[in-house]
Amino acid sequence: MATIIEKLRKIVEEAAIITEKDVMEPYLHDETPGLKGYAEAVVLPSSTDEVSQIMELANRELIAITPRGGGTGLSGGAVPQGGIVLSLEKLNRILDIDVANSVAVVEPGVVTGTLREEVEKLNLFYPPDPASLDSCTIGGNIAEDAGGAQTLKYGTTKNYVLGLEVVLPTGEVIFTGGKLMKNATGYELMHLFIGSEGTLGVVTKAILKLIPAPKYRVDLLIPFTKFENLSHTVLDILHKHGILPAALEFMEAKAIKASEQHTGEKLPFPEAKALLLVELDGNDSDLLAKQYEVIGEVALNNDAIDVLVAEDERRRADLWRARRVISEALKSTGEVAHEDVVVPRSKIPELLKYIEQLESTYGLPIAVYGHIGDGNLHVNILKRGIPDDVWQQRLPTLVHALYSKVVSVGGKISGEHGIGLAKRQYLSMSVSPEEIALMRNMKRMLDPNNILNPGKVLDLS
């Protein structure tokens, strides 16, 4: 490895190469509980050319490269299995905010929340909003096709990528797309890299679509004593009344309690078994008022305890802070197995009932929250004093049972966090052999030596 380090010094400055174990430590894991890897070095390139030279060197010398964004992933996608961690944190510039074309041109290390703030100064809006908005990066979002609370109305990251500059595993640089709303010129290569979890190429530049910023927002917090009533309310809002909120978020009691303990702030309605958080946005304040009145009536007709309307920014921020910290809050209470599943939203009541059965059958507490409007639930299995041997025996069986149920109702084992290392062994439960074979062929074509993020998503051994 010493020879490789010497060759890296000819590509990047000395300070951009980290080999000290204690300094490398933060780069050896993401936010996935219990997962930590190892590497011989961390390299921080400052340009596309440096990334290209590093990839060319790694491909020639058969050295594994693990690309890394903000390290906020929850499936182990950025956890290295040896070789070099390629951190893109120095490629963090917003290169252009083109108001005329409603696009932003950014490097992969730009923090998603920072981009949002900058474009909002120009009355523009970049909708993808993962819970880690203030620390995750655009490159990581593209690699995972990140979603977030506003996916229901606005879609995921892939809906906002218009062009990509990508360094291939062999070092070549390609550019796909552009500042274009339409493009039917040849194969659509751009979407090959979106959601590929850093296994097919390294994004070094992105052109992102922006939309006009909504003028008004209002949030509703609606408490329920029964999961079924909350689920029926969601379906009634969307289908009976044709209202499309920006977000429909769900939190059950254990998640609520963890959030309160973490923030030190109590949410209203302590008697609630579950809370529904509804966000409405738009440019017509009168229409929003009519919509939240309808939603309030729908909720009360489904036996909601009450309806709280938050129109001022401070109250809205309090509600969303409580929702966004849940994952961190649950981890602070002890070991957690975080499962990210997605089902057709009509199947949510059935899935929630099944999760209650799992909790009872296996004797492991489960906290559930997530994006109920798009069917994406985060199922958190909590250790909380369970003996190690019992935990290790019961957890895999519970997870397998959960995934089997999800697949049986037409769902998938990951809605937004990807497969990475954590779910690789379960991929065949949710993806056909023919699809997996095609994925393997694509990987081998673009990365013939399997040096880019090896071991993630697919097992090529």
mmCIF file of all heavy atoms in Angstrom, residues 9-54:
data_model
loop_
_atom_site.group_PDB
_atom_site.id
_atom_site.type_symbol
_atom_site.label_atom_id
_atom_site.label_comp_id
_atom_site.label_asym_id
_atom_site.label_seq_id
_atom_site.Cartn_x
_atom_site.Cartn_y
_atom_site.Cartn_z
ATOM 1 N N ARG A 9 -0.002 10.647 -3.898
ATOM 2 C CA ARG A 9 0.596 11.960 -3.607
ATOM 3 C C ARG A 9 0.905 12.729 -4.887
ATOM 4 O O ARG A 9 1.051 13.949 -4.860
ATOM 5 C CB ARG A 9 1.869 11.785 -2.772
ATOM 6 C CG ARG A 9 1.615 11.346 -1.334
ATOM 7 C CD ARG A 9 2.857 11.462 -0.479
ATOM 8 N NE ARG A 9 2.585 11.104 0.909
ATOM 9 C CZ ARG A 9 3.030 9.998 1.502
ATOM 10 N NH1 ARG A 9 3.781 9.139 0.819
ATOM 11 N NH2 ARG A 9 2.738 9.748 2.760
ATOM 12 N N LYS A 10 1.021 12.036 -5.983
ATOM 13 C CA LYS A 10 1.237 12.696 -7.263
ATOM 14 C C LYS A 10 -0.068 13.204 -7.879
ATOM 15 O O LYS A 10 -0.056 13.956 -8.859
ATOM 16 C CB LYS A 10 1.923 11.736 -8.231
ATOM 17 C CG LYS A 10 3.317 11.321 -7.790
ATOM 18 C CD LYS A 10 3.933 10.327 -8.757
ATOM 19 C CE LYS A 10 5.324 9.891 -8.288
ATOM 20 N NZ LYS A 10 5.922 8.891 -9.202
ATOM 21 N N ILE A 11 -1.199 12.780 -7.284
ATOM 22 C CA ILE A 11 -2.517 13.181 -7.793
ATOM 23 C C ILE A 11 -3.137 14.270 -6.932
ATOM 24 O O ILE A 11 -3.672 15.262 -7.430
ATOM 25 C CB ILE A 11 -3.457 11.956 -7.850
ATOM 26 C CG1 ILE A 11 -2.900 10.881 -8.799
ATOM 27 C CG2 ILE A 11 -4.862 12.377 -8.294
ATOM 28 C CD1 ILE A 11 -3.673 9.571 -8.762
ATOM 29 N N VAL A 12 -3.065 14.112 -5.615
ATOM 30 C CA VAL A 12 -3.662 15.078 -4.687
ATOM 31 C C VAL A 12 -2.586 15.586 -3.734
ATOM 32 O O VAL A 12 -1.513 14.987 -3.604
ATOM 33 C CB VAL A 12 -4.817 14.445 -3.877
ATOM 34 C CG1 VAL A 12 -5.924 13.955 -4.796
ATOM 35 C CG2 VAL A 12 -4.310 13.308 -2.992
ATOM 36 N N GLU A 13 -2.879 16.686 -3.053
ATOM 37 C CA GLU A 13 -1.921 17.231 -2.102
ATOM 38 C C GLU A 13 -1.793 16.317 -0.884
ATOM 39 O O GLU A 13 -2.695 15.519 -0.592
ATOM 40 C CB GLU A 13 -2.343 18.633 -1.674
ATOM 41 C CG GLU A 13 -3.696 18.689 -0.988
ATOM 42 C CD GLU A 13 -4.115 20.110 -0.656
ATOM 43 O OE1 GLU A 13 -3.394 21.038 -1.045
ATOM 44 O OE2 GLU A 13 -5.159 20.271 -0.008
ATOM 45 N N GLU A 14 -0.702 16.458 -0.196
ATOM 46 C CA GLU A 14 -0.399 15.593 0.953
ATOM 47 C C GLU A 14 -1.516 15.607 1.995
ATOM 48 O O GLU A 14 -1.897 14.555 2.542
ATOM 49 C CB GLU A 14 0.912 16.045 1.594
ATOM 50 C CG GLU A 14 1.344 15.245 2.814
ATOM 51 C CD GLU A 14 1.884 13.864 2.464
ATOM 52 O OE1 GLU A 14 2.415 13.709 1.343
ATOM 53 O OE2 GLU A 14 1.776 12.959 3.315
ATOM 54 N N ALA A 15 -2.048 16.795 2.261
ATOM 55 C CA ALA A 15 -3.082 16.916 3.294
ATOM 56 C C ALA A 15 -4.388 16.235 2.917
ATOM 57 O O ALA A 15 -5.255 16.033 3.776
ATOM 58 C CB ALA A 15 -3.343 18.398 3.586
ATOM 59 N N ALA A 16 -4.537 15.871 1.655
ATOM 60 C CA ALA A 16 -5.770 15.226 1.193
ATOM 61 C C ALA A 16 -5.705 13.711 1.309
ATOM 62 O O ALA A 16 -6.630 13.013 0.874
ATOM 63 C CB ALA A 16 -6.054 15.615 -0.252
ATOM 64 N N ILE A 17 -4.639 13.187 1.905
ATOM 65 C CA ILE A 17 -4.494 11.746 2.111
ATOM 66 C C ILE A 17 -4.423 11.480 3.614
ATOM 67 O O ILE A 17 -3.579 12.035 4.316
ATOM 68 C CB ILE A 17 -3.227 11.196 1.425
ATOM 69 C CG1 ILE A 17 -3.256 11.507 -0.073
ATOM 70 C CG2 ILE A 17 -3.104 9.687 1.653
ATOM 71 C CD1 ILE A 17 -1.954 11.189 -0.781
ATOM 72 N N ILE A 18 -5.333 10.650 4.110
ATOM 73 C CA ILE A 18 -5.382 10.333 5.543
ATOM 74 C C ILE A 18 -5.065 8.851 5.713
ATOM 75 O O ILE A 18 -5.724 7.993 5.103
ATOM 76 C CB ILE A 18 -6.768 10.637 6.135
ATOM 77 C CG1 ILE A 18 -7.132 12.114 5.927
ATOM 78 C CG2 ILE A 18 -6.818 10.274 7.612
ATOM 79 C CD1 ILE A 18 -8.566 12.434 6.277
ATOM 80 N N THR A 19 -4.080 8.554 6.546
ATOM 81 C CA THR A 19 -3.743 7.156 6.829
ATOM 82 C C THR A 19 -3.731 6.847 8.324
ATOM 83 O O THR A 19 -3.677 5.682 8.712
ATOM 84 C CB THR A 19 -2.367 6.800 6.228
ATOM 85 O OG1 THR A 19 -1.384 7.707 6.740
ATOM 86 C CG2 THR A 19 -2.394 6.876 4.705
ATOM 87 N N GLU A 20 -3.766 7.877 9.170
ATOM 88 C CA GLU A 20 -3.773 7.658 10.615
ATOM 89 C C GLU A 20 -5.103 7.032 11.042
ATOM 90 O O GLU A 20 -6.171 7.530 10.698
ATOM 91 C CB GLU A 20 -3.567 8.974 11.369
ATOM 92 C CG GLU A 20 -2.241 9.654 11.061
ATOM 93 C CD GLU A 20 -2.334 10.565 9.834
ATOM 94 O OE1 GLU A 20 -3.374 10.512 9.142
ATOM 95 O OE2 GLU A 20 -1.375 11.296 9.568
ATOM 96 N N LYS A 21 -5.049 5.957 11.810
ATOM 97 C CA LYS A 21 -6.252 5.203 12.147
ATOM 98 C C LYS A 21 -7.285 6.038 12.885
ATOM 99 O O LYS A 21 -8.488 5.944 12.618
ATOM 100 C CB LYS A 21 -5.877 3.970 12.974
ATOM 101 C CG LYS A 21 -5.160 2.891 12.166
ATOM 102 C CD LYS A 21 -4.921 1.642 12.998
ATOM 103 C CE LYS A 21 -4.250 0.567 12.155
ATOM 104 N NZ LYS A 21 -3.997 -0.675 12.951
ATOM 105 N N ASP A 22 -6.836 6.850 13.849
ATOM 106 C CA ASP A 22 -7.798 7.618 14.628
ATOM 107 C C ASP A 22 -8.465 8.696 13.782
ATOM 108 O O ASP A 22 -9.648 9.004 13.973
ATOM 109 C CB ASP A 22 -7.134 8.242 15.859
ATOM 110 C CG ASP A 22 -5.947 9.126 15.497
ATOM 111 O OD1 ASP A 22 -5.349 8.917 14.422
ATOM 112 O OD2 ASP A 22 -5.621 10.036 16.286
ATOM 113 N N VAL A 23 -7.743 9.269 12.822
ATOM 114 C CA VAL A 23 -8.316 10.300 11.955
ATOM 115 C C VAL A 23 -9.251 9.671 10.929
ATOM 116 O O VAL A 23 -10.267 10.257 10.530
ATOM 117 C CB VAL A 23 -7.206 11.102 11.239
ATOM 118 C CG1 VAL A 23 -7.806 12.227 10.410
ATOM 119 C CG2 VAL A 23 -6.228 11.668 12.261
ATOM 120 N N MET A 24 -8.944 8.440 10.519
ATOM 121 C CA MET A 24 -9.796 7.741 9.550
ATOM 122 C C MET A 24 -11.109 7.259 10.162
ATOM 123 O O MET A 24 -12.075 7.030 9.438
ATOM 124 C CB MET A 24 -9.053 6.525 8.975
ATOM 125 C CG MET A 24 -8.038 6.840 7.903
ATOM 126 S SD MET A 24 -7.671 5.367 6.901
ATOM 127 C CE MET A 24 -6.896 4.319 8.124
ATOM 128 N N GLU A 25 -11.170 7.105 11.460
ATOM 129 C CA GLU A 25 -12.303 6.444 12.114
ATOM 130 C C GLU A 25 -13.687 6.954 11.669
ATOM 131 O O GLU A 25 -14.576 6.146 11.365
ATOM 132 C CB GLU A 25 -12.165 6.551 13.636
ATOM 133 C CG GLU A 25 -13.056 5.591 14.404
ATOM 134 C CD GLU A 25 -14.504 6.050 14.512
ATOM 135 O OE1 GLU A 25 -14.732 7.284 14.468
ATOM 136 O OE2 GLU A 25 -15.391 5.199 14.623
ATOM 137 N N PRO A 26 -13.918 8.283 11.584
ATOM 138 C CA PRO A 26 -15.253 8.734 11.169
ATOM 139 C C PRO A 26 -15.638 8.306 9.759
ATOM 140 O O PRO A 26 -16.832 8.312 9.410
ATOM 141 C CB PRO A 26 -15.137 10.264 11.265
ATOM 142 C CG PRO A 26 -14.006 10.524 12.184
ATOM 143 C CD PRO A 26 -13.039 9.410 11.944
ATOM 144 N N TYR A 27 -14.656 7.947 8.935
ATOM 145 C CA TYR A 27 -14.919 7.557 7.559
ATOM 146 C C TYR A 27 -15.183 6.053 7.404
ATOM 147 O O TYR A 27 -15.436 5.587 6.296
ATOM 148 C CB TYR A 27 -13.726 7.933 6.667
ATOM 149 C CG TYR A 27 -13.469 9.414 6.575
ATOM 150 C CD1 TYR A 27 -12.602 10.048 7.464
ATOM 151 C CD2 TYR A 27 -14.079 10.186 5.604
ATOM 152 C CE1 TYR A 27 -12.348 11.407 7.387
ATOM 153 C CE2 TYR A 27 -13.834 11.550 5.510
ATOM 154 C CZ TYR A 27 -12.975 12.151 6.407
ATOM 155 O OH TYR A 27 -12.736 13.510 6.312
ATOM 156 N N LEU A 28 -15.143 5.320 8.493
ATOM 157 C CA LEU A 28 -15.257 3.864 8.431
ATOM 158 C C LEU A 28 -16.667 3.357 8.705
ATOM 159 O O LEU A 28 -16.901 2.150 8.757
ATOM 160 C CB LEU A 28 -14.269 3.217 9.413
ATOM 161 C CG LEU A 28 -12.798 3.586 9.210
ATOM 162 C CD1 LEU A 28 -11.928 2.846 10.218
ATOM 163 C CD2 LEU A 28 -12.339 3.312 7.787
ATOM 164 N N HIS A 29 -17.600 4.262 8.900
ATOM 165 C CA HIS A 29 -18.982 3.855 9.165
ATOM 166 C C HIS A 29 -19.924 4.930 8.643
ATOM 167 O O HIS A 29 -19.516 6.057 8.331
ATOM 168 C CB HIS A 29 -19.196 3.645 10.672
ATOM 169 C CG HIS A 29 -18.919 4.869 11.498
ATOM 170 N ND1 HIS A 29 -19.847 5.872 11.702
ATOM 171 C CD2 HIS A 29 -17.791 5.273 12.154
ATOM 172 C CE1 HIS A 29 -19.318 6.810 12.448
ATOM 173 N NE2 HIS A 29 -18.073 6.486 12.741
ATOM 174 N N ASP A 30 -21.201 4.555 8.510
ATOM 175 C CA ASP A 30 -22.225 5.569 8.266
ATOM 176 C C ASP A 30 -23.151 5.543 9.478
ATOM 177 O O ASP A 30 -22.677 5.293 10.593
ATOM 178 C CB ASP A 30 -22.940 5.328 6.920
ATOM 179 C CG ASP A 30 -23.605 3.966 6.819
ATOM 180 O OD1 ASP A 30 -23.687 3.243 7.850
ATOM 181 O OD2 ASP A 30 -24.061 3.608 5.713
ATOM 182 N N GLU A 31 -24.436 5.798 9.308
ATOM 183 C CA GLU A 31 -25.337 5.830 10.458
ATOM 184 C C GLU A 31 -26.053 4.491 10.687
ATOM 185 O O GLU A 31 -26.974 4.409 11.491
ATOM 186 C CB GLU A 31 -26.375 6.943 10.268
ATOM 187 C CG GLU A 31 -25.785 8.343 10.299
ATOM 188 C CD GLU A 31 -25.123 8.668 11.620
ATOM 189 O OE1 GLU A 31 -25.677 8.299 12.667
ATOM 190 O OE2 GLU A 31 -24.042 9.272 11.609
ATOM 191 N N THR A 32 -25.624 3.446 9.977
ATOM 192 C CA THR A 32 -26.226 2.132 10.164
ATOM 193 C C THR A 32 -25.753 1.530 11.477
ATOM 194 O O THR A 32 -24.550 1.335 11.672
ATOM 195 C CB THR A 32 -25.834 1.182 9.011
ATOM 196 O OG1 THR A 32 -26.058 1.834 7.765
ATOM 197 C CG2 THR A 32 -26.644 -0.103 9.075
ATOM 198 N N PRO A 33 -26.658 1.218 12.405
ATOM 199 C CA PRO A 33 -26.234 0.667 13.697
ATOM 200 C C PRO A 33 -25.452 -0.639 13.530
ATOM 201 O O PRO A 33 -25.839 -1.522 12.764
ATOM 202 C CB PRO A 33 -27.573 0.419 14.417
ATOM 203 C CG PRO A 33 -28.542 1.363 13.785
ATOM 204 C CD PRO A 33 -28.113 1.443 12.345
ATOM 205 N N GLY A 34 -24.320 -0.724 14.228
ATOM 206 C CA GLY A 34 -23.569 -1.973 14.278
ATOM 207 C C GLY A 34 -22.658 -2.246 13.103
ATOM 208 O O GLY A 34 -21.985 -3.279 13.087
ATOM 209 N N LEU A 35 -22.597 -1.370 12.121
ATOM 210 C CA LEU A 35 -21.745 -1.602 10.954
ATOM 211 C C LEU A 35 -20.528 -0.680 10.982
ATOM 212 O O LEU A 35 -20.672 0.542 11.074
ATOM 213 C CB LEU A 35 -22.526 -1.352 9.657
ATOM 214 C CG LEU A 35 -23.311 -2.521 9.059
ATOM 215 C CD1 LEU A 35 -23.910 -2.105 7.723
ATOM 216 C CD2 LEU A 35 -22.435 -3.753 8.874
ATOM 217 N N LYS A 36 -19.349 -1.281 10.884
ATOM 218 C CA LYS A 36 -18.116 -0.505 10.789
ATOM 219 C C LYS A 36 -17.135 -1.263 9.910
ATOM 220 O O LYS A 36 -17.022 -2.493 10.008
ATOM 221 C CB LYS A 36 -17.503 -0.262 12.168
ATOM 222 C CG LYS A 36 -16.291 0.654 12.140
ATOM 223 C CD LYS A 36 -15.808 0.993 13.547
ATOM 224 C CE LYS A 36 -14.602 1.913 13.510
ATOM 225 N NZ LYS A 36 -14.137 2.282 14.870
ATOM 226 N N GLY A 37 -16.445 -0.560 9.024
ATOM 227 C CA GLY A 37 -15.533 -1.200 8.094
ATOM 228 C C GLY A 37 -14.091 -0.872 8.380
ATOM 229 O O GLY A 37 -13.720 -0.466 9.495
ATOM 230 N N TYR A 38 -13.257 -1.035 7.383
ATOM 231 C CA TYR A 38 -11.833 -0.752 7.517
ATOM 232 C C TYR A 38 -11.308 -0.274 6.172
ATOM 233 O O TYR A 38 -11.889 -0.543 5.113
ATOM 234 C CB TYR A 38 -11.071 -1.998 7.969
ATOM 235 C CG TYR A 38 -11.141 -3.138 6.978
ATOM 236 C CD1 TYR A 38 -10.104 -3.381 6.077
ATOM 237 C CD2 TYR A 38 -12.253 -3.982 6.938
ATOM 238 C CE1 TYR A 38 -10.174 -4.418 5.163
ATOM 239 C CE2 TYR A 38 -12.330 -5.025 6.027
ATOM 240 C CZ TYR A 38 -11.300 -5.246 5.145
ATOM 241 O OH TYR A 38 -11.383 -6.265 4.235
ATOM 242 N N ALA A 39 -10.228 0.472 6.194
ATOM 243 C CA ALA A 39 -9.626 0.989 4.965
ATOM 244 C C ALA A 39 -8.146 1.251 5.218
ATOM 245 O O ALA A 39 -7.711 1.420 6.367
ATOM 246 C CB ALA A 39 -10.326 2.267 4.517
ATOM 247 N N GLU A 40 -7.389 1.296 4.140
ATOM 248 C CA GLU A 40 -5.972 1.614 4.237
ATOM 249 C C GLU A 40 -5.713 3.114 4.170
ATOM 250 O O GLU A 40 -4.707 3.602 4.664
ATOM 251 C CB GLU A 40 -5.189 0.925 3.107
ATOM 252 C CG GLU A 40 -4.861 -0.538 3.368
ATOM 253 C CD GLU A 40 -6.101 -1.430 3.344
ATOM 254 O OE1 GLU A 40 -6.866 -1.384 2.373
ATOM 255 O OE2 GLU A 40 -6.288 -2.179 4.329
ATOM 256 N N ALA A 41 -6.641 3.845 3.541
ATOM 257 C CA ALA A 41 -6.453 5.296 3.414
ATOM 258 C C ALA A 41 -7.782 5.958 3.073
ATOM 259 O O ALA A 41 -8.709 5.325 2.548
ATOM 260 C CB ALA A 41 -5.426 5.615 2.324
ATOM 261 N N VAL A 42 -7.860 7.239 3.387
ATOM 262 C CA VAL A 42 -8.968 8.098 2.968
ATOM 263 C C VAL A 42 -8.373 9.184 2.082
ATOM 264 O O VAL A 42 -7.361 9.795 2.443
ATOM 265 C CB VAL A 42 -9.687 8.743 4.175
ATOM 266 C CG1 VAL A 42 -10.784 9.689 3.697
ATOM 267 C CG2 VAL A 42 -10.258 7.667 5.095
ATOM 268 N N VAL A 43 -8.983 9.414 0.926
ATOM 269 C CA VAL A 43 -8.492 10.437 0.001
ATOM 270 C C VAL A 43 -9.596 11.445 -0.253
ATOM 271 O O VAL A 43 -10.753 11.070 -0.461
ATOM 272 C CB VAL A 43 -8.021 9.812 -1.325
ATOM 273 C CG1 VAL A 43 -7.473 10.887 -2.255
ATOM 274 C CG2 VAL A 43 -6.963 8.755 -1.065
ATOM 275 N N LEU A 44 -9.219 12.737 -0.243
ATOM 276 C CA LEU A 44 -10.181 13.819 -0.412
ATOM 277 C C LEU A 44 -9.837 14.616 -1.670
ATOM 278 O O LEU A 44 -9.115 15.620 -1.599
ATOM 279 C CB LEU A 44 -10.169 14.748 0.807
ATOM 280 C CG LEU A 44 -10.754 14.245 2.128
ATOM 281 C CD1 LEU A 44 -9.909 13.138 2.749
ATOM 282 C CD2 LEU A 44 -10.903 15.388 3.123
ATOM 283 N N PRO A 45 -10.321 14.203 -2.825
ATOM 284 C CA PRO A 45 -10.024 14.933 -4.060
ATOM 285 C C PRO A 45 -10.727 16.285 -4.095
ATOM 286 O O PRO A 45 -11.741 16.489 -3.423
ATOM 287 C CB PRO A 45 -10.551 14.007 -5.151
ATOM 288 C CG PRO A 45 -11.641 13.230 -4.485
ATOM 289 C CD PRO A 45 -11.202 13.044 -3.069
ATOM 290 N N SER A 46 -10.184 17.186 -4.904
ATOM 291 C CA SER A 46 -10.740 18.539 -5.019
ATOM 292 C C SER A 46 -11.263 18.850 -6.413
ATOM 293 O O SER A 46 -11.718 19.964 -6.658
ATOM 294 C CB SER A 46 -9.676 19.578 -4.641
ATOM 295 O OG SER A 46 -9.252 19.411 -3.311
ATOM 296 N N SER A 47 -11.201 17.890 -7.350
ATOM 297 C CA SER A 47 -11.643 18.150 -8.712
ATOM 298 C C SER A 47 -12.042 16.852 -9.395
ATOM 299 O O SER A 47 -11.667 15.759 -8.952
ATOM 300 C CB SER A 47 -10.533 18.823 -9.523
ATOM 301 O OG SER A 47 -9.466 17.906 -9.734
ATOM 302 N N THR A 48 -12.778 16.999 -10.476
ATOM 303 C CA THR A 48 -13.138 15.835 -11.280
ATOM 304 C C THR A 48 -11.894 15.136 -11.811
ATOM 305 O O THR A 48 -11.826 13.895 -11.846
ATOM 306 C CB THR A 48 -14.035 16.262 -12.452
ATOM 307 O OG1 THR A 48 -15.230 16.857 -11.941
ATOM 308 C CG2 THR A 48 -14.402 15.072 -13.329
ATOM 309 N N ASP A 49 -10.914 15.924 -12.223
ATOM 310 C CA ASP A 49 -9.683 15.344 -12.763
ATOM 311 C C ASP A 49 -8.981 14.476 -11.726
ATOM 312 O O ASP A 49 -8.472 13.386 -12.052
ATOM 313 C CB ASP A 49 -8.753 16.450 -13.249
ATOM 314 C CG ASP A 49 -7.481 15.890 -13.872
ATOM 315 O OD1 ASP A 49 -7.584 15.155 -14.870
ATOM 316 O OD2 ASP A 49 -6.393 16.167 -13.346
ATOM 317 N N GLU A 50 -8.941 14.932 -10.481
ATOM 318 C CA GLU A 50 -8.319 14.126 -9.430
ATOM 319 C C GLU A 50 -9.095 12.833 -9.194
ATOM 320 O O GLU A 50 -8.501 11.766 -9.014
ATOM 321 C CB GLU A 50 -8.219 14.937 -8.135
ATOM 322 C CG GLU A 50 -7.186 16.052 -8.209
ATOM 323 C CD GLU A 50 -7.053 16.825 -6.912
ATOM 324 O OE1 GLU A 50 -7.827 16.562 -5.961
ATOM 325 O OE2 GLU A 50 -6.178 17.710 -6.848
ATOM 326 N N VAL A 51 -10.435 12.923 -9.201
ATOM 327 C CA VAL A 51 -11.249 11.711 -9.044
ATOM 328 C C VAL A 51 -10.956 10.735 -10.180
ATOM 329 O O VAL A 51 -10.777 9.528 -9.966
ATOM 330 C CB VAL A 51 -12.751 12.056 -9.012
ATOM 331 C CG1 VAL A 51 -13.597 10.769 -8.996
ATOM 332 C CG2 VAL A 51 -13.095 12.918 -7.799
ATOM 333 N N SER A 52 -10.865 11.258 -11.393
ATOM 334 C CA SER A 52 -10.586 10.415 -12.558
ATOM 335 C C SER A 52 -9.238 9.708 -12.432
ATOM 336 O O SER A 52 -9.127 8.495 -12.690
ATOM 337 C CB SER A 52 -10.602 11.273 -13.832
ATOM 338 O OG SER A 52 -10.214 10.519 -14.957
ATOM 339 N N GLN A 53 -8.227 10.445 -12.019
ATOM 340 C CA GLN A 53 -6.896 9.844 -11.880
ATOM 341 C C GLN A 53 -6.872 8.792 -10.770
ATOM 342 O O GLN A 53 -6.216 7.746 -10.901
ATOM 343 C CB GLN A 53 -5.863 10.930 -11.591
ATOM 344 C CG GLN A 53 -5.582 11.862 -12.747
ATOM 345 C CD GLN A 53 -4.460 12.829 -12.419
ATOM 346 O OE1 GLN A 53 -3.320 12.422 -12.165
ATOM 347 N NE2 GLN A 53 -4.767 14.118 -12.405
ATOM 348 N N ILE A 54 -7.586 9.060 -9.671
ATOM 349 C CA ILE A 54 -7.652 8.098 -8.573
ATOM 350 C C ILE A 54 -8.340 6.817 -9.035
ATOM 351 O O ILE A 54 -7.875 5.699 -8.749
ATOM 352 C CB ILE A 54 -8.385 8.708 -7.359
ATOM 353 C CG1 ILE A 54 -7.556 9.835 -6.755
ATOM 354 C CG2 ILE A 54 -8.669 7.634 -6.306
ATOM 355 C CD1 ILE A 54 -8.317 10.700 -5.771
#
